[in-house]
Amino acid sequence: MSLELEKVSILKFGSAIFDPVNIVIKPGEITTVMGPSGCGKSTLLSAVSGSLDAVFTLKGSIRLYGRELLTLPMEERNIGMLFQDDLLFPHMNIGSNLAFAIKEKTSGEQRKTMIEKALKTAGLEGFEKRDPSSLSGGQKARVSLLRSLLADPSALLMDEPFSKLDQSLKAKIRDFVFSQIKRMNIPALLVTHDPLDCPEGGMILNLNNKEG
Amino acid sequence: MRLSRQGTSRIFPVFVIGLFGITILSGLLGTLLPSMNYLPVIGHKHVSLSVWFDFFSYPGIKTSILVTLFSGLTASFGVVIFVFLFITFSYGNALWKIFEKILSPVLSIPHAAFAIGFGFLIAPSGWLIRMVSPGLTGFVYPPDWSILNDPAGISLAIALVIKEFPFLIMVTMGALGQLDIEKTLLAGRALGYKKEQIWLKILIPRLYPHLRLSIFAIIAYSLSVVDMAIILGPSSPPPLAVLILKWFNDPDMSFKLIAAAGSLFLFFVVVLSVLLVYLIERSACFVSESWITNGKRHSFSARFKSIVFFMGVCIIGFTMVSSVVLVVWSLTWQWRFPDFLPAVWTLKFWAKGLVSSFDPVMTTMFTGMAAAFIGLILTIGCLEHDVNFQTNHIMQGKAQNNNKTLYYFLYLPLLVPQITFMAGIQLLLVIMKIDGYWIALMWSHLLFVLPYMFISLSATYRAFDRRLTDQAMLLGRPYMIVLFRIKLPMLLRPILFSFAIGFAVSVAQYIPTILVGAGRFSTITTQVVNIASGSDRRAIAVYALIQQFLPMIIYALAIILPKILYYNKKGMQV
């Protein structure tokens, strides 16, 4: 159960770009997809998130807690995603960025406390009114994760989320991200080319590029 | 029905293609029928070719056609060749950067206002001759030269080149973003080619397809321009388009038939000219193949470079100074030849002009705002549909992009001479007895507003980082919320800019206002053109400046508003 990829292959101009993928990720677990750049790692992620480019054709089945994802539009998949860049919305302050992710039904008061609490876990108390561009790279990365988690996703995808961070920051942010995934107890899929990024004890899948 | 990423957004391109196609086709039909002597409203019901005989035997018609061909084609070839030379020699240099900065305000200058300022510069009693008189020339009275309204239309052609140049540069700048300029230049230089040779041999051939439609539009415009031709062109006989308008406004209704024939003929002239240019392009492709691969890498002489540089400076100079001379004239009370500046200044003409232009200005503002606003909705709708078409979240591989079709339809109003299908639409409206409505006027403006808005917004809109909207959708928010709270606010600057361009285009419209407005609506532009010949220069200058000022206000707002709204958001500042 949880996040299952069954015989997933992606075709471009009729030929598969990698061997069919079969993965089962349990809640709280992180599976790492590795492979050289251009092997289709990110494409695999966008297939799961629902943002696959039109040049690709997708085969197989992707299920989240038993629910087939492939027929759902991305906003209904309930999947969070972290990219290389923080992708904070530059025209909103930190508080609004986080509030944007919280479900509509939540009351205003509740929103405020949720944001406060989230910022506290990341050591960013009182950052609500700050402009995203005034934050450091590590701070932005943390806010970005907080935002994804505030949407209460059922799974988290990560596309090389640490690759643009300084070496000194990397380990710290990585630990923060992994601990949050454990806390939320959701399945996570991580794409990276850095072996150091793999969490201890997590599954590793090597993606072979067929086009060479 | 839920508006989602795919699906219903298709209504936008379908709506645009449908209405543009129908309007232009009916416009052409509306000229075709009267040109065949069919206009039941005035009792002509028997189809015949007699109108065409009347047209070709009209006194001075041959000269009119020749003047049209000469000024229109000279201007078109001139501007295209000069743009190519300019990129080749000036890409990336200081002059190019100045152009990048001043492009939008320069583009926003209405044709009529520019033509009037240009006329005030080059006339025998104009500023240029005053600058050198009597010192160099010895003139104490204005010389008896026919520089302005010269019989061959040379001053008209030059003004057209200056006015069309920034437009083609704008299109070029948009297209350059899609070519790997820096890489190509690097690769070429590694092979020992000089920068200019790389431009001429590699980049311009790759650039041309992106400019082709705009060049066709320039040809159509130059051959059929009316407002600039009234102000700067010859008067007896005038260029064909001006003659057609004269016929159209003749109190004798039967002249409408000749007008229809004339505008259809003008359309043929445009089609033939476009074909000619296409043939030139094809044969240039064929002939230049051996030249491109002949291996010559040498640079051009410095003198050639400085000529191009000088001409670039001239274009900027003439555009700027023709606005300045308008300001000077508008403040003049007494200005004797050959004084360089007026002897007595006054604000009287401003006071008078502002009062008397109030109603036309309101009509202009109202029409321009409405057209630009509707244009904006359609532009964003079409672009959004287009961008989303490239994503498919469901297991479907059937993404056929219909953007190309839309693109051609959007360009149609720019490729058919305005007067041809505007005259046809007006005749149809008259036939159906529904002429003279504001909504028709606004729609006719929209036909020209929309293409420019689309051209100006599409590159930035398509370049929007899709991961941002993806991220927002993945946070579980519906598409419309993501669009209105993330994407459009982030694109506020280019969106307002596109709005400003749309507004400026609407302000500048002369033919649609005159024809479709059926004389019931006067805008600042129709006023300017009406008083341009014969009235007091000081009053003309005031009107021309008001016309120039309106788009400037909107441009200024488009620049200032994002700065105010996002003053504390560093990531939104460019």
Side-chain angles (χ1 to χ4, degrees):
Chain A
M1 286 301 270
S2 62
L3 181 59
E4 293 170 78
L5 279 72
E6 192 185 330
K7 290 185 198 150
V8 172
S9 56
I10 295 173
L11 285 75
K12 191 179 180 185
F13 307 124
S15 59
I17 55 175
F18 46 69
D19 294 326
V21 172
N22 288 293
I23 322 176
V24 178
I25 312 170
K26 296 205 184 81
E29 279 187 7
I30 301 165
T31 295
T32 312
V33 178
M34 300 217 22
S37 60
C39 72
K41 296 183 304 245
S42 301
T43 315
L44 180 66
L45 278 198
S46 53
V48 182
S49 72
S51 56
L52 194 62
D53 198 274
V55 295
F56 298 109
T57 319
L58 182 56
K59 279 188 178 160
S61 163
I62 301 175
R63 291 185 299 275
L64 186 56
Y65 294 103
R67 193 171 59 141
E68 178 61 58
L69 287 185
L70 292 184
T71 50
L72 291 176
M74 58 199 291
E75 70 270 28
E76 287 168 27
R77 293 190 177 193
N78 205 23
I79 283 182
M81 181 139 176
L82 288 183
F83 294 86
Q84 260 180 28
D85 299 289
D86 54 80
L87 298 181
L88 295 178
F89 306 130
H91 62 301
M92 297 177 168
N93 59 28
I94 298 299
S96 309
N97 261 285
L98 294 177
F100 187 82
I102 300 172
K103 297 267 186 286
E104 268 168 289
K105 287 167 221 146
T106 326
S107 75
E109 203 49 44
Q110 242 177 317
R111 280 167 182 269
K112 239 181 107 183
T113 39
M114 279 170 83
I115 293 170
E116 267 172 31
K117 249 173 88 183
L119 284 173
K120 205 170 175 186
T121 57
L124 298 169
E125 290 106 322
F127 268 55
E128 282 92 342
K129 293 269 177 278
R130 292 279 292 269
D131 175 17
S133 60
S134 70
L135 270 61
S136 73
Q139 290 171 330
K140 282 193 243 184
R142 272 176 281 170
V143 175
S144 183
L145 175 74
L146 295 178
R147 187 176 64 176
S148 285
L149 297 182
L150 279 174
D152 197 19
S154 309
L156 188 68
L157 310 176
M158 295 171 277
D159 190 356
E160 310 225 13
F162 316 118
S163 64
K164 282 196 177 167
L165 296 172
D166 289 342
Q167 279 306 328
S168 54
L169 268 175
K170 244 184 185 177
K172 221 171 128 193
I173 301 292
R174 198 161 46 211
D175 292 344
F176 178 67
V177 171
F178 292 166
S179 69
Q180 291 296 318
I181 292 168
K182 279 257 156 28
R183 188 182 62 80
M184 297 273 297
N185 200 28
I186 50 172
L189 189 57
L190 170 71
V191 152
T192 183
H193 63 261
D194 184 355
L196 286 174
D197 282 348
C198 305
E200 271 175 60
M203 279 234 314
I204 295 177
L205 174 82
N206 274 302
L207 216 53
N208 297 314
N209 186 4
K210 280 199 152 180
E211 283 166 7
Chain B
M1 193 161 43
R2 198 174 62 101
L3 194 63
S4 73
R5 283 189 83 142
Q6 265 91 356
T8 41
S9 66
R10 179 179 309 218
I11 53 170
F12 290 104
V14 168
F15 180 80
V16 169
I17 290 175
L19 274 176
F20 268 51
I22 290 168
T23 313
I24 289 161
L25 272 181
S26 48
L28 287 177
L29 192 71
T31 36
L32 183 67
L33 292 179
S35 79
M36 298 311 235
N37 198 24
Y38 184 83
L39 192 59
V41 199
I42 57 165
H44 288 249
K45 289 177 184 168
H46 301 288
V47 173
S48 77
L49 285 176
S50 63
V51 181
W52 286 95
F53 288 113
D54 291 345
F55 169 69
F56 284 113
S57 57
Y58 190 83
I61 190 73
K62 262 186 211 143
T63 326
S64 273
I65 295 171
L66 284 177
V67 166
T68 296
L69 278 173
F70 173 76
S71 58
L73 291 183
T74 315
S76 313
F77 282 110
V79 72
V80 171
I81 291 169
F82 186 58
V83 161
F84 286 162
L85 287 178
F86 188 71
I87 318 171
T88 302
F89 291 103
S90 307
Y91 175 75
N93 75 6
L95 199 58
W96 180 270
K97 284 183 183 125
I98 293 178
F99 256 103
E100 276 180 328
K101 287 237 166 69
I102 63 164
L103 200 56
S104 315
V106 164
L107 273 171
S108 81
I109 300 175
H111 291 86
F114 169 71
I116 287 172
F118 186 72
F120 285 180
L121 271 187
I122 62 161
S125 60
W127 225 13
L128 287 185
I129 290 187
R130 284 172 195 257
M131 280 178 196
V132 290
S133 298
L136 288 174
T137 58
F139 292 145
V140 186
Y141 297 103
D144 186 18
W145 297 340
S146 57
I147 311 175
L148 208 58
N149 312 106
D150 61 293
I154 296 171
S155 53
L156 173 62
I158 294 174
L160 277 170
V161 170
I162 299 177
K163 192 70 189 87
E164 294 299 310
F165 183 78
F167 166 67
L168 197 53
I169 287 284
M170 177 193 76
V171 181
T172 306
M173 283 178 176
L176 288 181
Q178 297 169 43
L179 305 175
D180 265 336
I181 303 300
E182 299 304 330
K183 274 186 200 159
T184 311
L185 284 175
L186 217 64
R189 280 163 70 181
L191 292 170
Y193 281 85
K194 286 277 180 240
K195 202 185 93 192
E196 292 81 15
Q197 291 282 2
I198 305 168
W199 272 105
L200 288 176
K201 290 187 164 176
I202 307 292
L203 286 167
I204 286 179
R206 278 175 55 203
L207 180 66
Y208 188 84
H210 294 271
L211 306 186
R212 195 184 285 123
L213 276 180
S214 307
I215 289 173
F216 292 170
I218 287 177
I219 296 171
Y221 183 82
S222 306
L223 286 168
S224 64
V225 60
V226 174
D227 50 358
M228 285 177 84
I230 290 178
I231 297 162
L232 294 172
S235 49
S236 50
L240 192 51
V242 178
L243 196 57
I244 294 168
L245 182 67
K246 203 181 101 189
W247 289 333
F248 210 93
N249 287 334
D250 201 290
D252 180 354
M253 288 289 277
S254 64
F255 270 103
K256 294 225 190 303
L257 301 172
I258 303 191
S263 55
L264 213 54
F265 180 77
L266 187 61
F267 179 53
F268 292 136
V269 170
V270 168
V271 170
L272 285 179
S273 308
V274 164
L275 273 178
L276 173 76
V277 169
Y278 188 70
L279 283 179
I280 293 176
E281 178 204 327
R282 289 286 96 195
S283 45
C285 259
F286 185 71
V287 172
S288 64
E289 212 182 284
S290 62
W291 170 73
I292 285 173
T293 51
N294 69 2
K296 283 203 179 125
R297 292 156 159 79
H298 63 86
S299 185
F300 289 82
S301 73
R303 186 181 295 165
F304 203 62
K305 275 186 205 174
S306 45
I307 290 175
V308 175
F309 189 83
F310 174 72
M311 284 176 72
V313 172
C314 276
I315 286 187
I316 296 183
F318 266 109
T319 314
M320 300 283 191
V321 180
S322 59
S323 291
V324 176
V325 75
L326 284 179
V327 175
V328 176
W329 267 111
S330 76
L331 296 169
T332 295
W333 180 246
Q334 214 176 63
W335 189 359
R336 253 190 242 103
F337 191 89
D339 295 348
F340 178 64
L341 283 173
V344 188
W345 302 76
T346 181
L347 278 171
K348 212 182 119 203
F349 288 91
W350 270 104
K352 237 168 92 182
L354 283 176
V355 173
S356 61
S357 70
F358 184 76
D359 286 343
V361 164
M362 282 300 130
T363 311
T364 312
M365 291 292 281
F366 200 51
T367 314
M369 287 289 186
F373 189 70
I374 296 174
L376 194 60
I377 295 173
L378 293 177
T379 304
I380 292 178
C382 289
L383 282 170
E384 195 53 25
H385 170 79
D386 188 41
V387 172
N388 292 341
F389 229 86
Q390 288 162 21
T391 324
N392 67 339
H393 51 245
I394 311 170
M395 287 164 71
Q396 283 173 340
K398 51 154 196 181
Q400 274 304 310
N401 205 335
N402 60 356
N403 174 48
K404 267 256 153 66
T405 335
L406 175 69
Y407 201 58
Y408 284 118
F409 269 89
L410 275 176
Y411 253 90
L412 264 184
L414 307 184
L415 298 177
V416 179
Q418 265 196 344
I419 197 160
T420 306
F421 71 101
M422 281 296 142
I425 287 170
Q426 171 57 6
L427 286 169
L428 278 186
L429 292 175
V430 169
I431 290 171
M432 294 186 288
K433 298 204 168 80
I434 48 166
D435 61 319
Y437 283 99
W438 178 79
I439 193 84
L441 175 72
M442 196 275 296
W443 175 255
S444 70
H445 280 209
L446 184 62
L447 285 174
F448 304 98
V449 164
L450 191 58
Y452 288 103
M453 292 184 76
F454 193 85
I455 295 169
S456 76
L457 190 57
S458 63
T460 343
Y461 203 91
R462 280 182 229 271
F464 186 81
D465 188 350
R466 220 190 71 197
R467 295 174 311 161
L468 278 158
T469 40
D470 281 0
Q471 180 63 272
M473 306 260 300
L474 286 169
L475 294 173
R477 303 313 291 276
Y479 169 65
M480 288 307 267
I481 290 200
V482 173
L483 183 65
F484 280 100
R485 286 195 47 198
I486 305 296
K487 192 169 186 179
L488 299 185
M490 281 186 69
L491 288 168
L492 184 67
R493 236 177 73 96
I495 284 174
L496 288 179
F497 231 80
S498 156
F499 183 89
I501 288 175
F503 180 79
V505 171
S506 168
V507 169
Q509 293 309 315
Y510 175 68
I511 280 296
T513 316
I514 288 279
L515 291 182
V516 178
R520 261 174 244 182
F521 299 96
S522 80
T523 63
I524 187 70
T525 301
T526 58
Q527 294 282 43
V528 166
V529 181
N530 284 349
I531 65 164
S533 50
S535 294
D536 191 319
R537 273 190 182 178
R538 298 166 292 187
I540 301 171
V542 169
Y543 268 70
L545 280 174
I546 294 173
Q547 190 204 17
Q548 195 167 329
F549 198 54
L550 293 179
M552 291 275 185
I553 300 173
I554 307 295
Y555 268 103
L557 284 178
I559 293 168
I560 294 166
L561 265 180
K563 282 207 201 302
I564 295 174
L565 286 172
Y566 296 136
Y567 78 97
N568 56 355
K569 299 287 180 296
K570 253 184 147 174
M572 292 302 299
Q573 283 148 23
V574 189

